[in-house]
């Protein structure tokens, strides 16, 4: 494949990538990055792998009904979940399946507080929040 | 629609069992993101006040909300509470609430229990999860039809 056709492909893909990106999510991530750097001068970047570990680990730190994030959001973030406490269905949390995810800071902060306490028994750090969003943005 | 309306005029008892749905957008958004936004008539005003003052430990969940939001929800739920409206389904439920008591679970009211006397396997259905999940069996519950 020559350079020109590569460029053509790149230009064709660009709008798709741009569709998934959202300036509100980017702003949210830079806020979390600033906070993470404030807490740890060694911070370099968020990691989708760490985000995935946060998502899948059985923390067993909070409510017995919710040992991990997957208890409500299921093991596949592109799938709809179900609230393990109330039975209410939950829309997918992966950005590809639900582009409105992680675009409203108030909503995101509210759920990080609730859900992290429920699963880990404590609030999540800025690093964990950024990792989680980075993981979900790539899902 | 017209038929339903006609039936309801003909049989007021049916109309009586309709529960006025929650219409406030803040209540629908904040309460409704975790569970069906329960209609205010199922509890007395003092119960809603107590629940909303205690959101930091909401049945084991930290459901904290900003004070302005709590104020909006509290005003709405207490204005149409069962002991305030005093009719229909609310009246049925309030009959079982002792004057000095502040119940916090709709599902412990005898008016609920009488209609939900099911064997264990029904409650253990993975779609049900908990007794407060009205929508598992009453798909139109949020609009006030518990048929």
């Amino acid at each position: 494949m020559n350079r020109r056709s590569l460029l053509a492909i790149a230009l064709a893909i660009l709008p798709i990538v741009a569709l998934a990106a959202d300036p509100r999510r980017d702003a949210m991530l830079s806020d979390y990055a600033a906070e993470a750097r404030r807490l740890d001068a060694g911070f370099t970047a968020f990691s989708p792998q760490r985000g995935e570990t946060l998502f899948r680990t059985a923390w067993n730190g909070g409510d017995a009904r919710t040992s991990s994030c997957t208890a409500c959001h299921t093991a596949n973030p592109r799938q709809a979940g179900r609230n393990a406490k109330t039975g209410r269905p939950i829309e997918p949390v992966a950005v590809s399946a639900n582009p409105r995810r992680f675009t409203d800071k108030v909503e995101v902060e509210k759920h990080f507080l609730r859900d992290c306490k429920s699963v880990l028994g404590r609030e999540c750090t800025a690093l964990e929040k950024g990792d989680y969003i980075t993981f979900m943005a790539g899902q | 629609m017209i038929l339903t309306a006609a039936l309801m005029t003909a049989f007021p008892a049916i109309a009586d069992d309709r529960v006025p749905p929650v219409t406030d957008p803040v209540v629908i958004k904040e309460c409704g993101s975790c569970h069906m936004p329960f209609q205010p008539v199922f509890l007395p005003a003092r119960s809603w006040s107590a629940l909303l003052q205690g959101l930091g430990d909401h049945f084991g969940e930290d459901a904290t909300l900003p004070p302005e939001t709590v104020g909006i929800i509290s005003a709405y739920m207490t204005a149409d509470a069962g002991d305030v409206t005093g009719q229909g389904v609310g009246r049925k439920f309030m009959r079982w609430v002792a004057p000095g008591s502040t119940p916090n679970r709709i599902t412990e009211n005898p008016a609920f229990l009488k209609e939900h006397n099911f064997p264990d396997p029904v409650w253990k259905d993975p779609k049900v999860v908990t007794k407060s999940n009205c929508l598992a069996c009453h798909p139109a519950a949020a609009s006030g039809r518990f048929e």
Side-chain angles (χ1 to χ4, degrees):
Chain A
M1 208 181 289
N2 63 27
R3 265 192 195 185
R4 194 167 275 172
S5 52
L6 267 182
L7 184 71
I9 293 172
L11 284 176
I13 293 176
L14 202 64
I16 303 174
V17 176
L19 200 73
D22 187 296
R24 290 166 299 180
R25 190 176 308 116
D26 295 345
M28 202 179 293
L29 279 171
S30 23
D31 284 356
Y32 286 135
E35 176 70 5
R37 200 167 299 118
R38 198 179 62 75
L39 296 169
D40 173 11
F43 169 82
T44 49
F46 291 126
S47 142
Q49 287 80 24
R50 281 196 310 256
E52 175 159 23
T53 305
L54 169 66
F55 179 67
R56 297 199 189 282
T57 300
W59 294 92
N60 284 306
D63 194 301
R65 294 167 293 184
T66 54
S67 58
S68 70
C69 305
T70 60
C72 295
H73 294 307
T74 80
N76 178 355
R78 286 181 295 273
Q79 238 167 38
R82 183 183 295 282
N83 193 313
K85 295 175 180 173
T86 67
R88 188 148 176 87
I90 303 175
E91 284 178 30
V93 281
V95 170
S96 65
N98 194 350
R100 279 168 309 147
R101 288 298 181 196
F102 318 109
T103 54
D104 177 342
K105 180 90 188 239
V106 175
E107 203 54 25
V108 166
E109 275 292 293
K110 185 173 76 188
H111 278 287
F112 270 132
L113 174 74
R114 271 183 208 174
D115 298 350
C116 290
K117 276 195 170 176
S118 179
V119 172
L120 294 87
R122 59 163 174 83
E123 292 185 33
C124 280
T125 63
L127 180 71
E128 288 169 325
K129 294 175 188 176
D131 287 344
Y132 185 82
I133 296 174
T134 305
F135 168 60
M136 289 304 174
Q139 285 300 298
Chain B
M1 266 315 245
I2 296 169
L3 181 68
T4 323
L7 278 172
M8 277 169 33
T9 344
F11 303 100
I14 297 177
D16 236 9
D17 271 351
R18 279 269 202 137
V19 183
V22 170
T23 52
D24 185 278
V26 175
V27 178
I28 292 173
K29 171 166 183 271
E30 298 298 344
C31 309
S33 79
C34 294
H35 52 68
M36 182 187 100
F38 303 115
Q39 288 89 348
V41 298
F42 289 116
L43 288 172
R46 59 185 178 278
S47 294
W48 292 120
S49 302
L51 282 166
L52 285 154
Q53 274 159 33
L55 285 179
D57 181 2
H58 186 63
F59 302 100
E61 175 110 350
D62 184 344
T64 306
L65 290 171
E68 318 83 74
T69 314
V70 175
I72 295 170
I73 301 173
S74 199
Y76 183 84
M77 298 308 279
T78 53
D80 284 341
D83 58 335
V84 176
T85 56
Q87 45 179 313
V89 171
R91 187 148 153 260
K92 257 210 256 179
F93 274 69
M94 290 314 109
R95 272 214 298 266
W96 300 97
V97 174
S101 73
T102 308
N104 62 6
R105 286 183 196 269
I106 298 166
T107 52
E108 284 173 2
N109 189 301
F112 174 92
L113 293 170
K114 262 195 317 192
E115 310 250 4
H116 296 84
N117 187 18
F118 305 126
D120 237 25
V122 173
W123 295 118
K124 296 259 156 72
D125 185 301
K127 282 211 252 329
V128 174
V129 180
T130 163
K131 285 190 179 176
S132 64
N133 185 9
C134 311
L135 291 166
C137 308
H138 308 282
S143 32
R145 298 196 311 279
F146 290 82
E147 56 231 345

